[in-house]
Amino acid sequence: MFHHPKFVSLRAIAGGLALSLALAAGASAETRLRMTIWSANEAHLKLFNGIADGFKKEHPDVTVSFEPLPFETYTTALTTQIAGGNAPDMAWIFETAAYDFVNSGALVPLTKTLAATPGYNPGEISPAATERWSRDGVLYAYPFSTSPFAVFVNNDLIRKAGAKTPAELIAAGQWTWPNAIATAQAAAQGGKGGLVVRDFNYQAWQYLSSVWNGWGAAPWSADGKRCTFADKPMVDALGFIHDAIFVKKAIPGPGQNVDFFAGDAAMTITQISRASLLPKDKRFDWDLVPLPKGSAGDYAIVGQAGIGVLKAGKDSAMAAAFVAYMTNPENSVKLAQFFPSARKSLLNAEVLGKTNALLSPAQLDKVVVSGIATGKLMPAHTDFARLQQMVRSGLDAVWQPKADIPAATRAICAQIGPLLAQ
């Protein structure tokens, strides 16, 4: 996802380009706010534009527009805009870049604005959801999406392959990683893709945390100071993934692009926001189930996205007011259709079901609510773009048919260890 030769320093951007609120206050009567987002999906844009229309009714002189940037290069494109003096007023920020944005000083503090907004009720926002977006007790980006990873299933392909569906395996207490890969292998032998880890593409390796967390593996220690790629849990997990790719052919290999939502794969691991990609004509029988049980037991992994206000934007005060409006209780219910809320009152199947017709109460409860309650966040670290690229390069040695995985992981730790220890 961050495969690029250069990463723009956010700290330098904040120092050189931050505009004062006084300057912003001197803007013309017509205020145009721009927010960068990663999704160009029609359903997402319709939702966002509807919220912007509601804000305009309260602020007739303010127009909010949304600018989709390519997912694969999103953070690079965003920081390049900021460095070039074309900063958006607001930005959708990935969880992997949270520490860099929060610690750089590039974002406007939001705590006072949210607390001063009538009816906002910031006290019901889960403290666990705000950890990555806060510093010294101050919130710098609102975690508007806290979304568990899960497995979308094409039951038609699996039945055609003569395999048990994940729902059948769950009912029998057999939904484990070995059985999931056996199901994917059967579908792949029938000429379709098996299991796709969406957005991984042998570059954005952090998405493999949806698999290796089942082994209790992690790229670095909890305090971020020590590389753990060469530890046994990670070596074992990568060995399992490698076997699934190169021996069982259950996971598409390097260079193979397989789209579950086009009906070309039996399963895919992704977040519920991607449910908007399901075919409207219901061309196949689909399901959504939790991640399989790993050797370390049941687990869940959660991705987050925050909305931040850029100091370098044109009108920081009005942008913060829009973020408060976009994430108020009423609009949080709407957003929860695709982006599960950090508000504790919305984290139950009954409330989520009112705006999420795609998913059943059981799916919402077992995948979304349970996943948020028990899940760990995707890995992140300061200077993540640099670390991401170094690890991606080191993992190239793993994505070979005859890889020496212990040697490759030791080499990765030799590369990133000094950076982590700083």
Side-chain angles (χ1 to χ4, degrees), residues 2-3 36 39 83 90 174 179 198 244 261 276 283 297 301 308 312 325 355:
F2 302 113
H3 182 202
T36 56
S39 175
M90 302 149 292
Q174 299 173 350
N179 288 337
R198 190 174 177 90
F261 295 100
S276 59
R283 72 188 67 167
I301 180 122
Y325 178 82
T355 56

Side-chain angles (χ1 to χ4, degrees), residues 392-400 402-404 408:
R392 183 209 57 75
S393 180
L395 284 173
D396 283 346
V398 172
W399 312 133
Q400 308 292 332
K402 296 183 179 179
D404 184 339

Side-chain angles (χ1 to χ4, degrees), residues 46-56 58 117 119-120 124 142 144 307 321-343 346 355:
K46 182 179 180 181
L47 173 62
F48 294 151
N49 285 325
I51 292 173
D53 289 343
F55 186 73
K56 191 171 183 63
E58 298 183 8
T117 300
Y120 193 85
E124 73 155 344
Y142 179 86
F144 83 102
I307 301 176
F322 176 72
V323 170
Y325 178 82
M326 187 177 188
T327 61
N328 67 24
E330 180 183 1
N331 285 322
S332 289
V333 172
K334 299 175 184 177
L335 288 169
Q337 177 180 358
F338 299 117
F339 313 105
S341 178
R343 292 181 176 273
L346 300 184
T355 56

Side-chain angles (χ1 to χ4, degrees), residues 57-81:
K57 290 179 180 178
E58 298 183 8
H59 303 271
D61 296 327
V62 180
T63 299
V64 180
S65 62
F66 300 92
E67 179 187 354
L69 300 176
F71 178 83
E72 294 78 7
T73 56
Y74 178 85
T75 300
T76 305
L78 172 58
T79 55
T80 299
Q81 282 193 11

Side-chain angles (χ1 to χ4, degrees), residues 175-257:
W175 183 231
T176 64
W177 266 113
N179 288 337
I181 290 301
T183 296
Q185 182 182 14
Q189 288 172 344
K192 292 288 188 176
L195 171 73
V196 178
V197 182
R198 190 174 177 90
D199 300 318
F200 164 47
N201 294 326
Y202 294 88
Q203 300 215 12
W205 53 264
Q206 61 269 25
Y207 286 95
L208 288 179
S209 58
S210 60
V211 181
W212 68 44
N213 272 39
W215 278 253
W220 38 72
S221 56
D223 63 6
K225 299 293 187 181
R226 185 178 71 85
C227 175
T228 54
F229 262 100
D231 288 11
K232 189 176 187 302
M234 181 63 81
V235 172
D236 289 348
L238 288 175
F240 179 87
I241 295 168
H242 186 275
D243 181 75
I245 296 166
F246 294 101
V247 178
K248 295 185 171 64
K249 311 293 185 184
I251 296 176
Q256 294 179 285
N257 295 312

Side-chain angles (χ1 to χ4, degrees), residues 350-387:
E350 181 181 358
V351 173
L352 288 172
K354 292 178 181 178
T355 56
N356 207 318
L358 281 173
L359 304 182
S360 70
Q363 289 169 334
L364 289 167
D365 185 53
K366 294 177 182 178
V367 176
V368 181
V369 177
S370 177
I372 292 173
T374 63
K376 293 183 178 180
L377 286 175
M378 278 181 66
H381 203 284
T382 53
D383 206 3
F384 183 80
R386 185 178 172 192
L387 285 166

